[in-house]
Amino acid sequence: MDRLDGHIVCEGLVRIFKADGIEVVALQGLDLSVERGELLAIVGASGSGKSTLLNILSGLDTPTAGVARVAGVNLLGMSAATRLRYRRRTVGFVWQQTSRNLLPYLTAQENVALPMTLAGHARGRAARTRAGELLELVGIADCAERRPDQLSGGEQQRCAVAVAVANDPEVLFADEPTGELDEATAGEVFAALRTINAELGVTIVVVTHDRAVAGQVRRTVAIRDGRTASEVRRSARIGRDGVTETVTEEYAVLDRSGRLQLPAAFVDALSLRDRVRLNLEPDHVEVRSGDVEGRSGDTDATEERR
Ligand code: ADP
Ligand code: MG
């Protein structure tokens, strides 16, 4: 199966939380495949399962069932030692709360150098030099000597990106890194993520509840009720007048069992309910209202039914 070759692969991923005898199904059979070197955004309403997914992918949480693999590591049934190594070496993480990403008593440069020293990757001058380079990549080289409380929210998050990639992880996860920032500042953080993605080749998955980010990345996947529901792809095309234009295409996600989710707007527009009729046409599939009795004022779906 080619989709099993992705750098990040989830298939039928399930996470059930049990609290006080009540079960919450946070992920209900989620499928996702991300290529090596991709920069992917995940959007979805609050409670749709985005953080649950990222916590699993970053090795902080364990799925209840399904397949989850990142950079060849199987996230189900990892030993404690493998999990620790995975979290230290394979993945980097940026949290929404700026205070959770940086140590308050260290300068920006010291914050970036710290994980290298702890992992034994680089020490002293070498660590400081590399930290300086990473700060330059994310666009805050001039902030190297400042402590977090002397940085703006956006600068703190860009510094957090540099910290997260200090040890050259294969994958970087960011959970709503711009959640506390205004739009312009959020744009700067996304620009830093794009630069890191392009320059270091690290695969990046960034979660946000802000649908406007679709304009910041090539591919955006939407999660609804713990499943991937749709995705938007952007690509550049040279128009007839020679000007580059951006083409945006929206797709519904078809899972391995053939399930797909209709956009709420489509369902509402035709008042679809309970069951629909499907017709296979030579080059498309038709979805029609499945009412047995045509409702008055209904669409052409009733008129064409004999
Ligand atoms: P999002 O990040 O998209 O807002 P979450 O992944 O945080 O969504 O949550 C998905 C669902 O799982 C929600 O209904 C949430 O209440 C529930 N949930 C998340 N974490 C836990 C937990 N530790 N215990 C119980 N329920 C949880
Ligand atoms: Mg969340």
Side-chain angles (χ1 to χ4, degrees):
M1 287 289 119
D2 56 348
R3 57 192 296 177
L4 285 175
D5 293 339
H7 204 202
I8 299 173
V9 176
C10 299
E11 277 188 17
L13 197 61
V14 174
R15 178 63 169 109
I16 300 172
F17 292 108
K18 290 198 183 83
D20 303 329
I22 299 170
E23 285 193 353
V24 178
V25 186
L27 298 180
Q28 36 189 322
L30 179 138
D31 295 327
L32 178 70
S33 177
V34 185
E35 281 173 35
R36 180 183 286 276
E38 220 187 313
L39 167 53
L40 176 83
I42 294 182
V43 297
S46 175
S48 56
K50 306 181 300 292
S51 293
T52 302
L53 173 64
L54 240 58
N55 286 342
I56 288 172
L57 293 178
S58 57
L60 294 169
D61 187 23
T62 332
T64 308
V67 171
R69 239 193 12 250
V70 177
V73 178
N74 177 8
L75 301 184
L76 278 90
M78 265 194 295
S79 70
T82 308
R83 182 177 295 277
L84 192 64
R85 196 168 57 234
Y86 175 77
R87 288 182 48 192
R88 283 212 181 133
R89 305 240 176 112
T90 313
V91 295
F93 210 96
V94 177
W95 304 94
Q96 173 175 353
Q97 302 87 342
T98 47
S99 57
R100 199 168 165 186
N101 294 310
L102 304 172
L103 289 174
Y105 49 87
L106 296 182
T107 65
Q109 189 161 17
E110 288 165 348
N111 264 289
V112 183
L114 184 67
M116 302 182 212
T117 314
L118 290 178
H121 269 189
R123 269 188 284 145
R125 183 186 299 248
R128 282 197 300 276
T129 304
R130 164 129 174 99
E133 289 165 4
L134 289 174
L135 289 175
E136 196 164 337
L137 269 186
V138 297
I140 54 165
D142 53 330
C143 300
E145 301 305 325
R146 293 196 225 155
R147 284 195 317 272
D149 64 354
Q150 299 165 318
L151 300 173
S152 70
E155 287 164 350
Q156 287 182 34
Q157 289 305 66
R158 285 190 276 166
C159 185
V161 171
V163 171
V165 296
N167 283 326
D168 263 330
E170 294 212 31
V171 182
L172 172 63
F173 297 110
D175 193 356
E176 310 216 17
T178 60
E180 294 174 354
L181 307 176
D182 60 55
E183 204 174 307
T185 316
E188 288 169 8
V189 174
F190 270 97
L193 289 171
R194 278 198 303 268
T195 305
I196 289 292
N197 172 249
E199 296 292 322
L200 305 182
V202 52
T203 306
I204 300 181
V205 176
V206 51
V207 158
T208 171
H209 61 259
D210 175 12
R211 288 196 159 256
V213 301
Q216 302 269 357
V217 297
R218 283 246 177 95
R219 183 157 80 109
T220 305
V221 168
I223 295 190
R224 236 164 90 188
D225 302 330
R227 273 197 205 123
T228 38
S230 62
E231 73 176 62
V232 172
R233 282 170 184 265
R234 285 169 74 248
S235 54
R237 186 174 67 187
I238 311 285
R240 236 180 283 164
D241 49 4
V243 177
T244 308
E245 53 185 22
T246 307
V247 185
T248 306
E249 287 177 297
E250 182 155 1
Y251 299 84
V253 172
L254 188 66
D255 80 7
R256 302 187 103 196
S257 321
R259 275 187 293 256
L260 66 76
Q261 190 166 32
L262 295 176
F266 289 19
V267 172
D268 292 346
L270 298 183
S271 307
L272 300 176
R273 278 181 54 200
D274 301 329
R275 62 187 70 80
V276 295
R277 287 174 197 276
L278 300 179
N279 293 316
L280 180 61
E281 298 294 330
D283 63 347
H284 69 277
V285 174
E286 203 174 62
V287 181
R288 287 170 177 272
S289 164
D291 289 355
V292 178
E293 301 295 331
R295 274 174 282 150
S296 60
D298 211 346
T299 58
D300 65 324
T302 36
E303 288 177 27
E304 287 188 32
R305 201 180 300 126
R306 300 275 145 80

